[in-house]
Amino acid sequence: MLGAALANTKPKIERLKPVKFVIAALACVLVLSSIKNAPAMEVELTRSTAMIPDGDVAQGDKDIRSAWLSSPTERYAHGVLGDGIEAAALTAVLPDGTRLTLSLPEHAVFEDRYPRLADLDGDGRDELVVVKATQTQGASLLVAGLRDGKLTILAEGAPIGRPYRWLNPVGAGDFDGDGETELAYVETPHIGGILRILKWRGDKLIEVYSAPGFSNHAIGTRELELSTVMDADGDGITDLIVPNTLRNVLRVVTFKGGVFKELFPIDLGAPLVRLKTDYKSFGALVAILADGHAAGVRFKKR
């Protein structure tokens, strides 16, 4: 991992200009990558498996080759991601071309733009992590995967408990150092966001840690990746890098040993609108800011 050779590190921020060039360059990379990896030419889309308008395709190299959110619907009128269209189903394509779809009941949707692929239990198979929402209980985190040739729900976290309340995933990693992979998300990032850490137990995702004061999404926007995970201090434990509630400071935090600790804040000087990992060019992270600047965040030895 990046941080493995960065013991005793501290962040250094370099403000970059012009931002238009940086944004254009990043956009080109993303578009070309999407065209290269998208399975559109290999999959015949039907009404039930058509990707939602603002969706994206997740790519895998294990038992799931690609996956996306499908079956657009307007049955959940929340619009937290900028429109009233959500997904009623999750579609996956296997390495042999087999296409499988998991459909939700009428009272539920996937309130997300794409699934996230990760082998959470170390069995060599990828799971799909996605945000589900219901008309009465709001959002919850859901894990789906392949079992007996079917795409099925494997585990689900507790819902927020109120309709039109949402959460945004941060990532997966061993955040406390116990050898297990945990999942992290920010609950209600627009109204007093809480960072929550979950462990997979049977058919449930159980909360084990939490901390207040975070936001990794601006309401009404489609950008979901304002946070990330990496070993920022080089101690071998995966850390979380998540903005504060104003999104103008990146909070680098750890749950090492089951104890929450803020390692250091990174003051960006303006609200964050996009966060990308770019280890070779600018540093560990590239932060695109609302004031027209870009900030390259580097982790260096003291």
Side-chain angles (χ1 to χ4, degrees), residues 103-288:
S103 297
L104 292 177
E106 284 295 321
H107 70 282
V109 297
F110 291 114
E111 195 175 15
D112 215 332
R113 290 185 50 231
Y114 45 79
R116 299 146 192 85
L117 280 164
D119 181 4
L120 300 176
D121 55 3
D123 66 353
R125 297 181 292 181
D126 271 335
E127 284 76 45
L128 294 158
V129 180
V130 66
V131 179
K132 172 189 168 186
T134 70
Q135 300 284 356
T136 59
Q137 295 296 306
S140 61
L141 199 64
L142 180 147
V143 174
L146 300 179
R147 293 295 185 270
D148 300 322
K150 297 180 180 180
L151 184 61
T152 187
I153 296 174
L154 301 178
E156 188 172 352
I160 294 174
R162 295 180 60 185
Y164 309 121
R165 293 293 183 267
W166 184 71
L167 63 87
N168 189 22
V170 175
D174 182 4
F175 301 126
D176 56 8
D178 67 350
E180 292 186 47
T181 297
E182 291 90 35
L183 288 165
Y185 67 79
V186 176
E187 178 180 297
T188 58
H190 319 120
I191 45 174
I194 300 173
L195 177 62
R196 299 194 185 277
I197 310 297
L198 309 180
K199 289 184 181 292
W200 184 357
R201 294 289 183 265
D203 62 354
K204 292 179 173 57
L205 300 175
I206 305 297
E207 180 180 321
V208 289
Y209 315 115
S210 66
F214 297 88
S215 175
N216 61 348
H217 183 256
I219 193 165
T221 67
R222 288 172 166 77
E223 182 58 54
L224 300 181
E225 298 179 4
L226 298 186
S227 52
T228 191
V229 300
M230 66 172 64
D231 182 7
D233 62 354
D235 66 351
I237 306 298
T238 303
D239 306 309
L240 300 104
I241 303 176
V242 188
N244 66 347
T245 53
L246 297 178
R247 297 187 301 281
N248 59 358
V249 174
L250 289 176
R251 300 179 65 185
V252 182
V253 303
T254 182
F255 288 89
K256 182 178 180 179
V259 178
F260 172 78
K261 179 182 179 181
E262 185 151 6
L263 297 176
F264 41 77
I266 302 173
D267 188 352
L268 299 174
L272 178 70
V273 297
R274 175 177 287 184
L275 184 67
K276 295 296 177 184
T277 55
D278 190 336
Y279 303 141
K280 295 182 180 179
S281 299
F282 301 120
L285 301 169
V286 176
I288 310 300

Side-chain angles (χ1 to χ4, degrees), residues 65-122:
R65 187 176 67 191
S66 59
W68 61 92
L69 296 177
S70 55
S71 193
T73 179
E74 296 182 24
R75 68 193 188 202
Y76 188 71
H78 190 193
V80 71
L81 298 177
D83 61 29
I85 301 175
E86 308 300 345
L90 169 63
T91 296
V93 177
L94 310 188
D96 64 1
T98 300
R99 183 174 64 228
L100 302 173
T101 296
L102 168 64
S103 297
L104 292 177
E106 284 295 321
H107 70 282
V109 297
F110 291 114
E111 195 175 15
D112 215 332
R113 290 185 50 231
Y114 45 79
R116 299 146 192 85
L117 280 164
D119 181 4
L120 300 176
D121 55 3

